[in-house]
Amino acid sequence: MAELIDLNKEFHLGNNFTFKVATKFSNMLDSRYRVIVKYDAQDIPVFKDDKLNIIIATSRETHSIPEGFFRKDIFLIFQHYHMLDKWEYKIDTPSVYPIPLGPFNDCYQDIEIKPLSQRKYDFTFVGQIPHTGTRDCFKRNLDKLVQESGDKFKYKVKFTDGFSQGFSPREYMELLANSKLSLCPCGAYSMETFRFFESTLMGAIPVVDRLPKFWYYEEAAFFNGPWHNLDNTLSKSLNYLQTGSCRRMLQGLAMYNNDVLNVDGLASRMRKIVDQRHTNMESSREYLKGLRNCLKDELDSDQL
C-alpha cells in the first residue's frame, strides 16, 4: 500500500469523490509510491527519500501548468483542469494525465434514478452567473428562451448568488434526478464544471456548448449546441430521447457511471497509467526534458 498524504484536508466540504479515488488508488500501489492529494496551487513538500511521488492536483480552473511539473522527484501528476495551451488545446505530456472533476456533492448514492419518461422537468439549471463573463451569453439566451417558449418546455431555472448556494446538496441532486436534460455552461474560468458529472450520475443528459478534448469527455454522453440556438438544441435533444435510437446513449451513460465516475473504475484506470509511465519513462525522457524547457521559457517570458 502506498503512503497517502492529503495536503488539502477540506474534502469534507466537497469533492470527496476525488479523495475516495485517491484512497482506492493508493491501496492499489505498493510501498514504493507516495500519493499526494492537493489543491494545485499548494506547494509540494520535498521528501528526502527515493519513493515515487504521484500528485493528484485538484482545483485551479485556469488549466495552467501544475505545481511540480518541473520537479524531477515527481513521477506522475493526475490533474483536474488539465493544462491547455493558449489556443485551448491539450498539452500532451507523459508525466501529466487529465482526470475528471467528478461530483462536488456526495449525497447521491440513495437517490432514485428514474426513467426519463417519469421525470418532471425537460431541463433544469440552478447556478450562478459569475463576474468573469463566461456565462453571460448562456444567461441571455436562457432568459430569451424562458420568455418566448411559453409552455413548450417544463423546466426549473434558478440563478444563485454563488457556488453551491442554490439548494441544499441533496435537493440539488434530487432535482437533477428529476430532469431529462441538464444545462451545463462553462465554469467561472474553465470550460469544465462539476455540474456535468453530477448530471451524468443522476441520469440527466448534459447539454453543453463546448468542452475540452479530454478522454473522459470523448467517452461521455451529452448533447452539444450553441447557446444562441438553445430552443433548437433542446427540441432536437428531447425528440431524440423519445426514439429507440437513444437506447445506445443511455447504455453509454450507464457504462460511463460504472467506469469513469466509479471510484474503483477510475482508480483502476489511474493504476494502468502508472504502468504506462514506467513503460515510456526512458523513451520519453528527452521529449519531457525539451517540453519542460520550452514551457519554462514561456513562463519566464510571460513574467517579464
Side-chain angles (χ1 to χ4, degrees):
M1 181 185 304
E3 178 184 4
L4 176 62
I5 298 176
D6 176 15
L7 295 181
N8 182 351
K9 299 187 185 304
E10 292 186 348
F11 284 109
H12 62 285
L13 300 177
N15 199 17
N16 194 42
F17 171 81
T18 294
F19 188 67
K20 289 180 179 178
V21 171
T23 303
K24 175 64 70 171
F25 172 60
S26 63
N27 289 339
M28 293 178 176
L29 301 173
D30 60 46
S31 59
R32 292 177 297 161
Y33 301 91
R34 176 186 292 112
V35 178
I36 305 162
V37 191
K38 59 184 287 296
Y39 277 131
D40 193 44
Q42 289 176 311
D43 293 334
I44 304 169
V46 175
F47 301 96
K48 297 181 180 180
D49 55 34
D50 58 356
K51 284 192 175 184
L52 298 170
N53 295 305
I54 299 175
I55 307 299
I56 298 178
T58 72
S59 187
R60 193 184 280 190
E61 289 186 48
T62 53
H63 294 278
S64 53
I65 299 170
E67 192 74 24
F69 176 70
F70 300 104
R71 282 178 46 170
K72 294 181 179 180
D73 62 330
I74 304 301
F75 175 71
L76 185 60
I77 300 173
F78 292 100
Q79 185 185 13
H80 287 174
Y81 305 108
H82 187 274
M83 52 182 170
L84 301 174
D85 63 20
K86 61 184 177 182
W87 296 283
E88 296 186 336
Y89 287 101
K90 179 168 70 77
I91 299 176
D92 286 314
T93 163
S95 65
V96 185
Y97 188 78
I99 56 173
L101 307 180
F104 187 80
N105 294 314
D106 191 30
C107 58
Y108 54 85
Q109 286 83 357
D110 62 340
I111 295 177
E112 179 187 2
I113 305 299
K114 301 178 181 178
L116 291 178
S117 60
Q118 297 179 18
R119 298 190 176 208
K120 179 178 180 179
Y121 299 108
D122 291 327
F123 73 87
T124 53
F125 173 79
V126 175
Q128 64 173 322
I129 304 300
H131 64 86
T132 54
T134 54
R135 292 180 180 172
D136 288 357
C137 176
F138 166 75
K139 185 177 187 302
R140 285 197 304 273
N141 287 282
L142 180 54
D143 286 344
K144 179 181 178 182
L145 177 76
V146 169
Q147 292 170 5
E148 297 179 357
S149 65
D151 59 358
K152 181 177 180 179
F153 303 108
K154 296 179 180 179
Y155 59 84
K156 179 74 173 181
V157 172
K158 179 179 176 64
F159 298 113
T160 67
D161 294 329
F163 179 76
S164 196
Q165 293 186 20
F167 297 154
S168 71
R170 185 171 183 87
E171 288 174 331
Y172 175 67
M173 298 302 277
E174 287 176 340
L175 177 65
L176 290 175
N178 210 14
S179 308
K180 298 174 184 175
L181 303 174
S182 172
L183 305 186
C184 297
C186 294
Y189 297 94
S190 165
M191 287 179 276
E192 299 193 80
T193 170
F194 287 106
R195 179 179 286 104
F196 184 97
F197 304 102
E198 291 164 342
S199 301
T200 298
L201 281 168
M202 294 293 98
I205 312 297
V207 178
V208 302
D209 66 334
R210 62 191 184 113
L211 290 169
K213 295 185 181 300
F214 298 154
W215 65 268
Y216 48 84
Y217 292 122
E218 294 174 356
E219 297 183 13
F222 59 88
F223 292 112
N224 177 242
W227 298 131
H228 68 261
N229 203 16
L230 183 56
D231 189 313
N232 185 57
T233 299
L234 291 173
S235 297
K236 286 185 175 181
S237 300
L238 290 167
N239 287 338
Y240 178 79
L241 292 179
Q242 295 182 44
T243 69
S245 300
C246 79
R247 184 173 302 172
R248 180 175 297 180
M249 170 179 270
L250 298 180
Q251 289 173 342
L253 188 73
M255 292 177 61
Y256 192 84
N257 288 338
N258 289 330
D259 179 15
V260 177
L261 295 184
N262 173 273
V263 170
D264 291 348
L266 182 54
S268 295
R269 188 183 292 253
M270 292 164 65
R271 179 66 183 87
K272 292 178 182 178
I273 298 301
V274 171
D275 292 338
Q276 292 177 17
R277 181 72 186 113
H278 280 291
T279 300
N280 68 26
M281 179 168 274
E282 287 302 320
S283 61
S284 65
R285 190 179 300 276
E286 288 303 313
Y287 169 76
L288 184 57
K289 179 180 178 181
L291 181 62
R292 282 171 169 161
N293 290 337
C294 178
L295 293 178
K296 184 68 164 59
D297 290 342
E298 288 186 12
L299 284 177
D300 292 340
S301 63
D302 289 342
Q303 294 172 1
L304 293 177

